[in-house]
Amino acid sequence: HKWFCGAKGTALLHVGEEAQEWLEPLVISHGYGSDLPSGFYWPGLADWSSFLALDEAMAFWDLVGIEPARTYCNYVVRDAAVLLADGWGTELGIPEELLSTMALVQLPEFAALKGELNYEAAEMVQNALYAEKIEVPVKALSGKLYVRISAHIYNHIEEYETLRDVVLQLQKSDSL
């Protein structure tokens, strides 16, 4: 639902003819065995009201266009990743030319973190960012901490500037 801009719990699955013979639902429906769509209908108790918004989500993408949106998201992530790495004096997790709608950016060292930079350290930083109303995954990889940023059409560069600035403030703090 997230990347499609649909209501939570909704999705649209397009299945090519070559896969329709072997694709099966994880939870079967009372229509299982008759045809592909019927096997997916009514899998137990479900609230179907969110699916009523799928037409609007599809109309939105027809209006915006997939390629312009993808291009915008790619540029936002690249600009944001470079902005963060430059602002923190760190590096990207992969070369800039390989970035798409997500990126890993190494975090700077934090005064409050002593010892190994592991899962617990990543969680401490992530929780400190969340307390500042910033939700971004923090990962520990090979003894370094990284943020995993992403972008969608509703994101803008100022949000990543805020992330940069809050990390710089937290970096100097004696506690997270």
Side-chain angles (χ1 to χ4, degrees):
H1 72 274
K2 181 171 62 173
W3 292 102
F4 188 60
C5 295
K8 284 187 177 182
T10 62
L12 177 69
L13 176 64
H14 174 79
V15 180
E17 288 185 31
E18 67 280 358
Q20 290 181 14
E21 290 183 23
W22 58 263
L23 183 70
E24 294 186 358
L26 293 175
V27 178
I28 63 171
S29 168
H30 71 277
Y32 179 75
S34 56
D35 61 14
L36 180 72
S38 296
F40 287 86
Y41 293 153
W42 309 112
L45 300 174
D47 177 3
W48 296 96
S49 59
S50 61
F51 285 88
L52 297 174
L54 276 177
D55 286 344
E56 289 301 316
M58 291 172 64
F60 170 78
W61 285 109
D62 285 342
L63 176 69
V64 171
I66 296 292
E67 286 308 314
R70 184 177 291 137
T71 299
Y72 173 79
C73 294
N74 289 349
Y75 278 111
V76 169
V77 164
R78 284 184 185 170
D79 291 349
V82 170
L83 173 119
L84 295 173
D86 288 350
W88 297 335
T90 61
E91 299 177 351
L92 302 179
I94 61 172
E96 184 180 345
E97 62 271 11
L98 297 178
L99 296 178
S100 182
T101 57
M102 293 186 186
L104 280 176
V105 183
Q106 184 183 347
L107 284 163
E109 293 183 13
F110 290 85
L113 296 178
K114 309 290 188 236
E116 184 182 359
L117 297 178
N118 54 18
Y119 174 84
E120 288 79 19
E123 190 172 31
M124 286 177 62
V125 174
Q126 184 170 316
N127 289 341
L129 290 168
Y130 187 77
E132 297 293 327
K133 302 191 180 338
I134 296 175
E135 189 161 345
V136 63
V138 178
K139 304 295 178 191
L141 301 168
S142 301
K144 298 176 182 176
L145 296 182
Y146 293 84
V147 289
R148 198 270 299 148
I149 62 169
S150 61
H152 208 319
I153 58 174
Y154 47 77
N155 292 118
H156 48 86
I157 198 68
E158 291 82 7
E159 293 170 303
Y160 304 94
E161 291 171 347
T162 299
L163 171 60
R164 176 198 61 203
D165 297 344
V166 169
V167 165
L168 290 173
Q169 290 171 359
L170 291 173
Q171 180 187 19
K172 299 171 191 169
S173 177
D174 290 332
S175 64
L176 292 178

